[in-house]
């Protein structure tokens, strides 16, 4: 080895020394200097002498150091420096997927989701199978435009009612319109299309929605007829007032999006004295319900767990249960026969949006409505469900009643116990909406001491089948002296401790209070439990220490636990030669389904929105993976089948398969691949499916793009022709298909299913029509990471920039 190589080896060992002592700033500076000056000399020999296998390992070392150093800077709130070190890394490794992904993750963490999506898309343009970025991009799109937005736009009943109400008001002379919370601009478009309209303005606090609305107005040739502001209505700085204000800023509990505060300000500052507001009023209804699915996320109801650890059934309550209400689609839960109304329904509150005094009284909590519910029969009461009728004007009304097809969910107020009730028992309640927070007061909750834990942990504990199968399979194992239980909650490890089958438990500290409570209740010494703050702490254990490692294979949303799978191989050295890792096997299963509901949650299906070009500008924000699917209506077009084995590592794996449809099907009716998992905890034991009504892990679905089949000739095999030569409307009939080819990719512990183009044997990746939002952002000058960093740093905690133009007075429409 030459003298230069010896110096290089010494410098690399210095870097390693800094890393082992967690001196990541010094490690970064030393490694950066080395890579900048010595890169040509990083030959295999000096790398191996320094303990680095190859150049890829040197790159991995640098990425590890960058990540750890960035974490330290974040803790010190030195956000500018975080992106400076990432930029330095990109100068060394241009377009490196891991660094670009790291940039996106941190941008998303700081609330800059739009810029984060640019980073993730850049990664996927270079490496379409880099599924860590794919998963991050899906999550980011959901933050940019929440999925309920698609359901709302696809609600033709809602849209038609608003359209008629706006037309009625403009016809009556209210011809100066302000659209508050415009979103994609649909209500403003309705106004602009009316005869006699004089002026229209619109505002929205979301940067991304204002961008979409601006493009929609431009595509409809209306840019010069509307003034658009990126601003909340309370912050508008304009001198004009309006004769009509339209808004649809109502959540499942009516007031949760701040509509009371918004309308109070609007009536005082933006509305003419004779002006009107659409909607005109809201009427709220309440009923009592029973539902195991809703209760399982709120209190402990698994009797097996309670008896094993001597716990009262209602001693655990969700931290989230403390909040006012949840939003749930009751009609979907009812479809699964798991929602029953146990009381009558009463009209509890009415709020007139055109009455300033009424709005103020409600906002200040002075409007309190008392009412009684009567129980229909003997049974169990789990909580109360609230929905509303939204009266737009005298002629148009929308109902969010669970029996109607509506884009709104219902507001769910859960009790902290399952309360026995008798027929005709009267329940006294009070409803209010102080500060815009809908609340129901009563004296029906248990006053016992309770422990608050994470909602998802409760769902996990309440999955009795999973609990029983896991504990039974593991209890048959022998010589389990030391156990590492990385489950959402380590009930198996605790049970082994209680029964004396193990002497030491290592587990995560995410539910530390509950672990200590159970230990005290069951005479388990805390000295036998070592709490870890994260999975990496497990690697600090000595090798050949553990007899059993229990992983959490799937999370509550229906995704593979990528962290556990990527670290699976690294955990093996911690096992004794006779040790085991649970689960031993995981399979991905699924089927091809038709579901109007699921596509309406994921993309624009309403033909009217196609005419307005709204679908064109929302298409880039459609997601391909719908997670956390509760019960919903669908039709299986193929028999459920095993799609692939899930590999316990973070490497790239691919598999192709073909699913035969039950009968030849129009490609337009093939909507999604519904998937779930089969888990084998111990070798040669029966599998447990997550496709169960009471499974803590929800199902998920890969959404099939509209253009996936290319007229039925790609991505599938053709079957028989349609009986008729033409569809309705004189359009040529499409060829039906009878088989679907699927490409399954696994990488970084993430799985993605693509339709496989049978002609090219390549995954049929989606081509977005038109100009995408991200392309426009890049065109505005945010193409390189440095500018992106400067933008993020300067706007980290700032308000959105004010809109240019249209400052003091609005132009009237000629």
């Amino acid at each position: 080895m030459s003298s230069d190589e010896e110096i290089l080896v010494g410098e690399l060992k210095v870097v390693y020394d800094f890393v082992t002592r967690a001196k990541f700033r010094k490690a970064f500076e030393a490694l950066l200097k080395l890579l900048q000056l010595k890169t040509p000399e990083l030959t295999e020999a000096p790398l191996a002498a320094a303990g680095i296998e190859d150049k890829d390992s040197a790159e991995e070392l640098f990425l590890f150091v960058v990540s750890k150093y960035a974490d330290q800077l974040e803790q010190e709130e030195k956000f500018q420096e975080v992106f400076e070190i990432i930029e330095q890394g990109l100068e060394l490794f241009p377009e490196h997927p891991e660094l670009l992904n790291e940039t996106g993750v941190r941008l998303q963490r700081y609330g800059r989701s739009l810029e984060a999506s640019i980073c993730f898309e850049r990664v996927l343009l270079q490496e379409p199978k880099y599924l860590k970025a794919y998963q991050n991009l899906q999550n980011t799109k959901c933050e940019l435009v929440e999925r309920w937005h698609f359901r709302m736009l696809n609600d033709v009943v809602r849209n038609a009612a608003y359209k008629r109400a706006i037309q009625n008001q403009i016809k009556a002379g209210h011809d100066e319109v302000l659209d508050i919370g415009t979103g994609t601009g649909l209500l403003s478009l309705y106004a602009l299309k009316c005869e006699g309209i004089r002026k229209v303005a619109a505002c929205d606090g979301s940067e991304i929605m204002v961008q979409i609305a601006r493009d929609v107005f431009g595509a409809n040739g209306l840019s010069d007829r509307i003034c658009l502001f990126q601003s909340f209505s309370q912050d508008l700085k304009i001198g004009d007032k309006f004769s009509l204000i339209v808004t649809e800023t109502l959540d499942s509990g009516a007031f949760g999006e701040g509509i009371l505060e918004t309308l109070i300000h609007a009536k005082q500052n933006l509305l003419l004295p004779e002006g009107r507001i659409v909607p005109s009023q809201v009427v709220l209804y309440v009923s009592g319900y029973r539902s195991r699915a809703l209760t399982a996320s709120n209190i402990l109801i698994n009797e097996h767990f309670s008896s094993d650890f001597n716990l009262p059934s209602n001693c655990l309550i969700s931290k989230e249960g403390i909040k006012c209400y949840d939003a749930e689609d009751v009609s979907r839960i009812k479809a699964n026969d798991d929602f029953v109304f146990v009381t009558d329904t009463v009209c509890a509150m009415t709020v007139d949006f055109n009455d300033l005094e009424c709005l103020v009284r409600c906002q200040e909590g002075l409007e309190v409505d008392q009412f009684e519910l009567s129980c229909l029969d003997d049974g169990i009461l789990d909580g109360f469900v609230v929905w509303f009728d939204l009266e737009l004007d005298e002629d148009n009304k929308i109902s969010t009643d669970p029996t109607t097809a509506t884009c709104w969910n219902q507001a769910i107020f859960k009790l902290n116990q399952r309360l026995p009730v008798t027929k005709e028992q009267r329940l006294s309640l009070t409803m209010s909406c102080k500060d815009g927070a809908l609340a129901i007061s009563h004296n029906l909750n248990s006053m016992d001491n309770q422990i608050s834990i994470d909602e998802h942990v409760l769902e996990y504990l309440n999955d009795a089948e999973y609990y029983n199968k896991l504990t039974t399979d593991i209890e048959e194992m022998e010589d389990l002296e030391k156990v590492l239980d990385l489950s959402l909650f380590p009930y198996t490890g605790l049970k082994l401790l209680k029964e004396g089958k193990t002497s030491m438990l290592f587990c995560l500290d995410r539910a530390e209070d509950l672990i200590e409570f159970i230990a005290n209740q069951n005479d388990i010494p805390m000295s036998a439990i070592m709490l870890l703050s994260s999975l990496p702490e497990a690697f600090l254990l000595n090798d050949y220490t553990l007899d059993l490692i229990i992983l959490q294979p799937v999370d509550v949303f229906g995704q593979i636990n990528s962290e556990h799978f990527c670290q699976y191989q690294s955990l093996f050295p911690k096992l004794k030669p006779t040790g085991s890792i649970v689960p031993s096997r995981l399979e991905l299963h699924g089927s091809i389904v038709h579901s109007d509901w699921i596509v309406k949650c994921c993309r624009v299906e309403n033909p009217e929105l196609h005419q307005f070009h709204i679908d064109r500008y929302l298409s880039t924000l459609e997601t391909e993976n719908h997670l956390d699917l509760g019960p919903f209506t669908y039709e299986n077009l193929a028999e459920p089948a095993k799609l692939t084995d899930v590999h316990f590592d973070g490497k790239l794996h691919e598999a192709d398969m073909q699913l035969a449809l039950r009968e030849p099907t129009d490609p337009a009716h093939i909507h999604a691949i519904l998937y779930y998992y089969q888990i084998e905890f111990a070798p040669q034991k029966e599998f447990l499916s997550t496709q169960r009504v009471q499974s803590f892990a929800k199902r998920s679905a890969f959404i099939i793009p509209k253009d996936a089949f290319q007229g039925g000739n790609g991505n599938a095999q053709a079957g028989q022709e349609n009986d008729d030569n033409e569809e309705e409307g004189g359009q040529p009939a499409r060829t039906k298909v009878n088989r679907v080819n699927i490409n399954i990719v696994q990488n970084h512990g993430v799985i993605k299913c693509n339709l496989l183009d049978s002609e090219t044997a390549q995954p049929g990746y989606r081509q977005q029509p038109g100009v995408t939002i991200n392309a426009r952002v890049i065109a505005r000058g945010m193409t390189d990471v440095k500018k992106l960093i400067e933008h993020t740093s300067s706007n980290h905690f700032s308000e959105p920039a004010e809109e240019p133009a249209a400052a003091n007075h609005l132009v009237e429409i000629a």
Side-chain angles (χ1 to χ4, degrees), residues 103-252:
T103 305
V105 168
R106 294 181 190 277
L107 285 166
Q108 187 174 16
R109 195 179 300 163
Y110 300 160
R112 305 303 301 182
S113 296
L114 187 58
E115 292 90 330
S117 68
I118 300 172
C119 293
F120 301 139
E121 288 189 344
R122 282 175 60 182
V123 173
L124 294 171
L125 282 172
Q126 300 169 69
E127 295 192 29
K129 296 173 185 176
Y130 190 90
L131 298 191
K132 192 188 298 185
Y134 160 76
Q135 187 177 68
N136 288 335
L137 180 60
Q138 300 302 304
N139 295 337
T140 303
K141 286 181 177 181
C142 289
E143 288 187 5
L144 287 169
V145 177
E146 294 183 80
R147 298 305 94 181
W148 57 258
H149 214 104
F150 290 95
R151 283 180 64 194
M152 180 183 71
L153 289 171
N154 286 319
D155 189 338
V156 294
V157 173
R158 163 199 172 272
N159 296 349
Y162 261 97
K163 183 177 183 179
R164 290 192 301 268
I166 290 170
Q167 289 172 339
N168 288 345
Q169 295 303 316
I170 293 174
K171 188 176 181 180
H174 302 293
D175 52 10
E176 300 166 322
V177 179
L178 173 62
D179 177 6
I180 295 177
T182 190
T184 57
L186 180 61
L187 302 188
S188 293
L189 288 171
Y190 289 154
L192 287 164
K193 297 289 185 179
C194 288
E195 235 181 88
I197 187 70
R198 290 182 59 229
K199 66 182 178 185
V200 180
C203 64
D204 201 293
S206 165
E207 178 184 4
I208 190 74
M209 297 314 299
V210 168
Q211 287 185 26
I212 292 172
R214 182 179 291 113
D215 289 329
V216 167
F217 294 140
N220 286 275
L222 299 171
S223 295
D224 60 343
R225 299 183 63 199
I226 186 167
C227 291
L228 177 63
F229 302 90
Q230 186 194 325
S231 171
F232 296 105
S233 61
Q234 293 96 316
D235 300 324
L236 279 177
K237 302 294 190 294
I238 54 178
D240 292 53
K241 290 192 175 185
F242 302 84
S243 56
L244 178 63
I245 287 178
V246 297
T247 188
E248 201 274 74
T249 49
L250 298 99
D251 72 338
S252 59

Side-chain angles (χ1 to χ4, degrees), residues 281-572:
Q281 73 173 10
V282 64
V283 183
L284 291 94
Y285 299 87
V286 183
S287 184
Y289 73 85
R290 182 184 77 245
S291 170
R292 187 198 181 281
L294 295 179
T295 304
S297 64
N298 190 56
I299 61 175
L300 178 66
I301 56 176
N302 182 356
E303 295 178 358
H304 296 281
F305 183 81
S306 300
S307 60
D308 279 345
F309 294 108
N310 304 317
L311 297 174
S313 60
N314 65 336
C315 73
L316 306 183
I317 187 169
S318 165
K319 292 177 181 176
E320 289 75 12
I322 299 171
K323 64 186 177 184
C324 292
Y325 56 85
D326 289 325
E328 298 286 350
D329 187 345
V330 169
S331 63
R332 288 199 298 142
I333 303 172
K334 279 177 65 68
N336 210 33
D337 297 325
D338 188 33
F339 191 99
V340 178
F341 291 103
V342 298
T343 75
D344 59 354
T345 298
V346 300
C347 175
M349 176 179 278
T350 299
V351 179
D352 186 343
F353 290 149
N354 282 285
D355 185 337
L356 179 59
E357 182 180 344
C358 177
L359 293 173
V360 172
R361 283 178 56 80
C362 289
Q363 179 72 3
E364 293 179 353
L366 301 176
E367 191 73 28
V368 178
D369 291 81
Q370 297 179 341
F371 57 95
E372 283 190 342
L373 294 174
S374 178
C375 298
L376 302 176
D377 211 335
D378 296 349
I380 296 293
L381 177 71
D382 287 324
F384 304 98
V385 55
V386 175
W387 63 91
F388 57 84
D389 288 346
L390 191 63
E391 298 183 8
L392 304 180
D393 63 6
E394 293 180 356
D395 303 320
N396 295 282
K397 182 175 76 172
I398 303 169
S399 179
T400 68
D401 185 312
T403 62
T404 63
T406 177
C407 63
W408 277 279
N409 290 339
Q410 289 73 45
I412 303 293
F413 293 80
K414 299 174 183 177
L415 296 179
N416 67 5
Q417 63 174 329
R418 306 201 82 178
L419 183 69
V421 293
T422 57
K423 185 176 181 178
E424 297 184 357
Q425 179 179 343
R426 308 291 292 179
L427 307 174
S428 298
L429 299 94
T430 301
M431 178 177 284
S432 62
C433 50
K434 179 177 171 59
D435 297 326
L438 183 65
I440 293 179
S441 302
H442 50 74
N443 62 354
L444 303 175
N445 275 331
S446 169
M447 296 294 106
D448 295 340
N449 292 330
Q450 293 169 323
I451 297 175
S452 298
I453 62 174
D454 184 85
E455 172 185 22
H456 301 316
V457 173
L458 262 175
E459 291 174 328
Y460 179 69
L461 296 181
N462 282 323
D463 187 342
E465 288 181 75
Y466 191 95
Y467 172 85
N468 292 334
K469 187 75 170 70
L470 176 59
T471 53
T472 300
D473 287 357
I474 287 177
E475 283 176 340
E476 295 181 14
M477 300 179 180
E478 298 179 351
D479 302 322
L480 302 177
E481 182 183 354
K482 294 183 179 179
V483 175
L484 171 62
D485 191 341
L486 297 170
S487 305
L488 269 170
F489 184 80
Y491 54 65
T492 303
L494 286 169
K495 191 176 182 187
L496 291 171
L497 270 179
K498 180 185 176 183
E499 295 173 351
K501 295 180 179 179
T502 187
S503 60
M504 191 71 196
L505 170 64
F506 303 87
C507 60
L508 299 175
D509 64 0
R510 63 165 63 95
E512 183 176 355
D513 290 345
L514 179 56
I515 291 171
E516 290 185 0
F517 179 75
I518 288 178
N520 291 332
Q521 288 283 111
N522 295 271
D523 298 321
I524 300 172
M526 281 301 295
S527 59
I529 303 173
M530 179 173 288
L531 298 173
L532 311 176
S533 61
S534 62
L535 176 57
E537 277 196 29
F539 298 118
L540 301 178
L541 300 174
N542 294 328
D543 289 349
Y544 310 113
T545 295
L546 302 168
D547 299 282
L548 175 66
I549 298 174
I550 305 171
L551 300 180
Q552 182 70 52
V554 183
D555 67 21
V556 295
F557 304 110
Q559 293 184 116
I560 292 173
N561 190 329
S562 57
E563 182 186 22
H564 286 198
F565 274 50
C566 290
Q567 300 292 348
Y568 185 90
Q569 301 298 327
S570 301
L571 287 168
F572 262 103

